[in-house]
Amino acid sequence: MRDTENMEAEMEYDDEEEPSFSDPEDFVDDISDQELLGDVLRDKPQEADGIDSVIVVDNVPQVGPDRLDKLKNVVHKIFSKFGKITNEFYPDADGKTKGYIFLEYSSPSHAHEAVKNADGYKLDKQHTFRVNLFTDFDKYMSICDEWEIPEKQPFKDFGNLRHWMEDPDCRDQYSVIYDSGERTGIFANDVKEPIEVEERARWTETYVRWSPKGTYLATFHQRGIALWGGEKFKQIQRFSHQGVQLIDFSPCERYVVTFSPLMDTKDDPQAIIIWDVLTGQKKRGFHCESSAHWPIFKWSPDGKFFARMTQDTLSIYETPSMGLLDKKSLRINGIKDFSWSPGDNIIAFWVPEDKDIPARVTLMQLPSRNEMRVRNLFNVVDCKLHWQKNGDYLCVKVDRTPKGTQGVVTNFEIFRMREKQVPVDVVEMKEGIIAFAWEPNGSKFAVLHGESPRINASFYHVKNNGKIDLIKMFDKQQANSIFWSPQGQFLVLAGLRSMNGALAFVDTSDCTMMNIAEHYMASDVEWDPTGRYVVTSVSWWSHKVDNAFWLWTFQGRLLQKNNKERFCQLLWRPRPPSLLTQEQIKLIKKDLKKYSKIFEQKDRLSQSKASKELVDKRRTMMEDYRKYRERAMDMYNEQRHLRLDLRGGVDTDELDSNICNSNSSIRFLVEECGLALTKN
């Protein structure tokens, strides 16, 4: 019944006149397509879609159909390393390719990576690739024929970035983080007490780092890194890297490397970023799965190269292009570790045993990649590479398991880098090794070996005649760390953390124990750049009580105990290399007696018992008296003509009788006053 009624209603509606949907004649449509169909128009294909991912490769061999497949395989193998290739086009004419090709990547970042690394790739003697982005052609076509002088950028004066080197008393500086990281201060070292240079609240969110030459102070923030320098520590540069955790400088201070686990993406590598310190520009980004072995990139001593190790591969990059050296990485099966020489562009790396092939240590010269020396090793468990500071020697600590024996035996393989064919000497140690350290500017090394409580400290000397002599051995030492003075000769044997801060100060010239002391629960030891002072400290980050840093002389005499509330970290400010030649330094040492009197006088003044407040008070009183006397003399001279008028033109100021009369008057007044006091 209801369906019948609906049908009748529909029939009645159909019989009615159809309504008009036309716009009135005066209607104006003021609604744009963007407002009406914005979501649809956004998905409309654009003419330029995809061209940002296209590169053009020139100087490709011109081949016929019979060799085309081989050429495609070679090109794909080279360029697929930079990303996924989605399209390839090889233009041809007269049965041969034209010598240029088009490659399209899945992402513009891959195309940029291909241009950066493959431009200049040498395929063979006749063909060297030239690679450009497809979008660059518009830029090249629009270049003006007339050269225009670039606009001068305003100069930013940050002051003298090495002003601390001009301190007349040659005080070194150090940074201190305390109050559980809330406050950071810069202090000048002084025998009496630290002199505050700069102090700020929440200057950094985690910790700070000095650049290798001491020019910059790096602070860490959630949004990135800031560099500070100059007399008032103004902000010199900042690098935006969200969640940055680690930092490393190139030895030349031209580049800084930052690591953040938050920013990495598959298409745009940003876990590790290399920045230009002067311009603040990002030079290149890299992927990184783990930062457990920081720094990931290791720098050559001159900052011209940096290298990274991945599985079976050693990649060496050159600056400023940040591209691979010779456009390819080194294939080294099983490579375990590598290290640059501190003095030359030489890389040392080691490879473990593989079936019947022995383990080996290789010295490779860069950029030629010539192998200077290869040392085969047998029954190897592990190796550690230790360079002497100047690169004169390399010690390879080799842990072995000799056949037919149980346990591990350690050998020190000493490479003499400055001699022909790099001869190698061997020192065998039958006890477990706790610590090893080279003398920074010498040919000695120290070793801690044995097991607690019988830990021995041995000192060796590498002689020029090809022998390595044991100079001295101290037995039953409470030590687990070795800290050499930056200038050599002196060192501290320290038992940090679990050994309760035992300290032994040693002079290795005659191997005498200068002093034995203790800083309970000490967690860190830091030498100043000159080797005159050493700081031991208990960090709040590792131990929640007794947080302080103590200052010692190199001989082990305690100078200061600085108790900072929740002290965290102390770092000495490095010094840049001396501009003096070795001959000039020798001449200064020879004539040192000429300056000794000046130094001794300054030392006596610094050791005065008068407190700093009393000295400042006396200095202020003397300055006030000097100013008062100058005002009195000016008034005396201005009133001279009045005295002459009162005395009939006679200048009595210069008469001897006046002096005698004055003395007589003074004597008379004193006698009268004394008589009056006696009567009373």
Side-chain angles (χ1 to χ4, degrees):
M1 185 66 181
R2 184 174 300 172
D3 293 340
T4 305
E5 292 177 355
N6 290 339
M7 291 178 61
E8 291 177 354
E10 289 177 2
M11 291 177 63
E12 291 178 359
Y13 178 79
D14 291 339
D15 292 340
E16 293 179 3
E17 184 179 355
E18 183 178 348
S20 174
F21 294 98
S22 301
D23 294 328
E25 294 182 359
D26 58 346
F27 174 77
V28 177
D29 186 2
D30 57 354
I31 301 177
S32 65
D33 291 343
Q34 186 65 35
E35 292 177 301
L36 190 63
L37 303 170
D39 54 340
V40 177
L41 293 176
R42 277 195 295 270
D43 296 333
K44 179 182 177 181
Q46 303 294 322
E47 183 179 353
D49 274 356
I51 63 172
D52 288 341
S53 303
V54 177
I55 63 171
V56 183
V57 185
D58 257 321
N59 296 333
V60 179
Q62 299 182 19
V63 298
D66 55 331
R67 298 177 58 195
L68 182 58
D69 289 340
K70 183 178 180 181
L71 175 64
K72 286 184 176 182
N73 289 335
V74 172
V75 170
H76 190 273
K77 183 178 180 180
I78 295 171
F79 285 90
S80 61
K81 294 187 295 184
F82 311 114
K84 182 181 179 181
I85 299 175
T86 59
N87 197 9
E88 304 177 17
F89 179 56
Y90 289 72
D92 57 10
D94 301 329
K96 282 189 174 183
T97 57
K98 289 188 175 182
Y100 59 89
I101 62 173
F102 299 88
L103 301 177
E104 183 178 359
Y105 285 93
S106 60
S107 169
S109 63
H110 297 161
H112 283 273
E113 195 77 6
V115 171
K116 185 186 299 182
N117 292 282
D119 185 37
Y121 182 89
K122 191 172 183 180
L123 184 66
D124 52 40
K125 292 182 179 179
Q126 289 80 28
H127 301 91
T128 301
F129 290 157
R130 301 300 313 195
V131 186
N132 291 280
L133 292 171
F134 187 81
T135 53
D136 284 344
F137 280 86
D138 289 337
K139 179 178 69 175
Y140 297 144
M141 293 296 292
S142 61
I143 295 177
C144 182
D145 294 335
E146 296 182 4
W147 181 74
E148 295 182 1
I149 300 176
E151 293 183 7
K152 290 184 178 180
Q153 298 297 321
F155 174 70
K156 295 181 180 179
D157 186 8
F158 297 110
N160 183 4
L161 296 181
R162 293 185 176 175
H163 73 284
W164 88 97
M165 299 295 294
E166 298 178 352
D167 181 43
D169 294 320
C170 301
R171 297 185 183 95
D172 283 289
Q173 294 184 357
Y174 53 80
S175 63
V176 175
I177 298 177
Y178 60 100
D179 198 10
S180 66
E182 288 293 309
R183 305 197 73 83
T184 303
I186 310 297
F187 296 88
N189 180 42
D190 190 79
V191 176
K192 299 296 292 182
E193 59 183 8
I195 301 172
E196 185 178 290
V197 177
E198 191 75 20
E199 196 270 345
R200 298 177 189 176
R202 293 178 292 280
W203 200 351
T204 182
E205 294 180 12
T206 52
Y207 60 101
V208 300
R209 274 283 305 273
W210 292 103
S211 60
K213 298 179 182 179
T215 309
Y216 308 106
L217 177 72
T219 57
F220 289 71
H221 310 273
Q222 181 60 30
R223 297 178 60 185
I225 295 291
L227 297 187
W228 312 79
E231 189 171 355
K232 298 297 182 182
F233 284 93
K234 297 179 181 178
Q235 188 177 105
I236 306 296
Q237 197 61 265
R238 58 182 180 180
F239 310 101
S240 179
H241 199 181
Q242 191 76 20
V244 62
Q245 294 181 355
L246 299 169
I247 188 176
D248 186 40
F249 284 92
S250 65
C252 59
E253 295 189 338
R254 181 62 191 273
Y255 306 101
V256 62
V257 186
T258 58
F259 166 78
S260 171
L262 305 179
M263 297 292 290
D264 209 15
T265 59
K266 184 177 180 181
D267 296 334
D268 186 15
Q270 293 190 59
I272 295 178
I273 299 179
I274 299 180
W275 308 85
D276 189 305
V277 170
L278 298 179
T279 64
Q281 294 180 345
K282 174 183 174 181
K283 299 296 291 184
R284 186 170 178 183
F286 294 88
H287 293 296
C288 181
E289 296 178 358
S290 172
S291 62
H293 302 286
W294 185 260
I296 303 298
F297 290 99
K298 299 178 183 179
W299 291 87
S300 64
D302 56 7
K304 291 183 178 179
F305 305 98
F306 59 97
R308 177 185 188 178
M309 182 185 71
T310 53
Q311 186 175 1
D312 298 332
T313 303
L314 181 63
S315 301
I316 304 169
Y317 302 84
E318 55 186 341
T319 61
S321 66
M322 303 296 162
L324 279 169
L325 181 64
D326 297 334
K327 309 299 180 184
K328 57 183 178 180
S329 299
L330 287 170
R331 181 76 177 179
I332 306 173
N333 292 329
I335 182 172
K336 282 289 186 181
D337 193 17
F338 77 99
S339 181
W340 286 93
S341 163
D344 307 278
N345 286 338
I346 297 172
I347 279 184
F349 63 87
W350 80 278
V351 177
E353 296 182 63
D354 183 15
K355 297 179 181 179
D356 296 332
I357 302 174
R360 69 183 189 276
V361 175
T362 304
L363 297 174
M364 179 181 293
Q365 202 164 26
L366 274 300
S368 64
R369 302 192 183 191
N370 294 330
E371 292 186 354
M372 299 172 54
R373 186 73 158 85
V374 177
R375 176 79 168 174
N376 291 327
L377 305 169
F378 298 90
N379 305 317
V380 174
V381 177
D382 191 21
C383 286
K384 290 289 185 295
L385 308 174
H386 300 277
W387 284 97
Q388 187 253 10
K389 181 182 176 182
N390 299 325
D392 297 335
Y393 305 98
L394 168 66
C395 173
V396 181
K397 174 180 168 289
V398 184
D399 294 332
R400 306 171 183 268
T401 53
K403 291 182 178 179
T405 61
Q406 293 182 349
V408 176
V409 175
T410 299
N411 285 359
F412 293 124
E413 308 272 339
I414 308 296
F415 291 71
R416 299 172 180 265
M417 299 300 298
R418 305 303 179 195
E419 299 181 24
K420 290 183 179 180
Q421 299 180 346
V422 193
V424 180
D425 299 316
V426 180
V427 177
E428 184 175 343
M429 306 290 292
K430 296 183 179 180
E431 295 181 314
I433 305 301
I434 299 171
F436 172 95
W438 279 104
E439 181 183 19
N441 293 316
S443 54
K444 295 191 284 289
F445 62 87
V447 185
L448 289 176
H449 52 95
E451 295 181 3
S452 183
R454 297 188 61 86
I455 295 176
N456 302 320
S458 297
F459 301 93
Y460 291 85
H461 183 205
V462 182
K463 293 189 173 181
N464 295 328
N465 58 6
K467 293 183 179 180
I468 300 178
D469 291 344
L470 173 63
I471 307 172
K472 183 76 174 180
M473 185 179 74
F474 296 112
D475 59 356
K476 296 182 180 180
Q477 295 296 304
Q478 288 185 297
N480 53 19
S481 303
I482 305 168
F483 298 94
W484 281 93
S485 162
Q487 304 304 321
Q489 183 177 344
F490 306 102
L491 60 77
V492 175
L493 300 175
L496 301 180
R497 297 178 176 86
S498 60
M499 289 191 173
N500 297 329
L503 304 170
F505 296 81
V506 182
D507 182 353
T508 62
S509 62
D510 53 5
C511 286
T512 56
M513 194 78 71
M514 297 183 293
N515 191 27
I516 296 176
E518 182 184 77
H519 185 177
Y520 183 68
M521 293 306 296
S523 58
D524 300 282
V525 175
E526 296 282 347
W527 281 93
D528 85 316
T530 66
R532 294 180 296 172
Y533 304 100
V534 62
V535 165
T536 60
S537 59
V538 180
S539 173
W540 184 79
W541 290 335
S542 60
H543 196 62
K544 299 304 180 184
V545 296
D546 298 329
N547 305 127
F549 64 92
W550 294 2
L551 181 71
W552 310 74
T553 66
F554 68 94
Q555 297 167 320
R557 181 165 59 90
L558 182 61
L559 298 176
Q560 299 172 17
K561 290 185 178 181
N562 295 284
N563 298 311
K564 289 285 186 183
E565 185 71 20
R566 287 173 291 178
F567 162 82
C568 298
Q569 180 197 50
L570 182 145
L571 290 177
W572 289 95
R573 187 173 193 172
R575 287 191 172 196
S578 174
L579 299 177
L580 299 175
T581 63
Q582 289 298 323
E583 289 74 16
Q584 290 173 323
I585 293 174
K586 288 180 181 179
L587 184 62
I588 291 172
K589 290 181 178 180
K590 182 180 178 182
D591 299 337
L592 192 60
K593 291 183 180 179
K594 295 180 180 179
Y595 316 108
S596 61
K597 292 182 180 179
I598 302 173
F599 297 149
E600 289 172 0
Q601 184 180 2
K602 286 187 175 182
D603 289 342
R604 283 194 298 269
L605 289 173
S606 64
Q607 293 170 3
S608 172
K609 294 182 179 180
S611 66
K612 186 176 183 296
E613 292 78 7
L614 182 58
V615 172
D616 291 342
K617 182 179 179 180
R618 289 175 177 174
R619 186 179 290 112
T620 302
M621 292 173 64
M622 190 65 188
E623 184 66 19
D624 292 342
Y625 166 73
R626 186 185 63 79
K627 291 179 180 179
Y628 167 75
R629 188 175 184 279
E630 288 178 356
R631 291 195 302 269
M633 289 299 297
D634 291 340
M635 184 182 298
Y636 176 77
N637 293 328
E638 289 174 0
Q639 295 175 349
R640 178 181 175 84
H641 66 282
L642 295 175
R643 291 195 299 275
L644 290 174
D645 292 343
L646 291 171
R647 297 169 185 174
V650 178
D651 187 1
T652 58
D653 296 342
E654 305 297 331
L655 295 178
D656 292 340
S657 59
N658 182 57
I659 298 174
C660 294
N661 292 336
S662 299
N663 291 337
S664 301
S665 301
I666 293 170
R667 190 180 302 112
F668 171 76
L669 289 172
V670 170
E671 290 175 354
E672 288 295 321
C673 291
L675 182 61
L677 289 171
T678 303
K679 289 179 179 179
N680 293 334

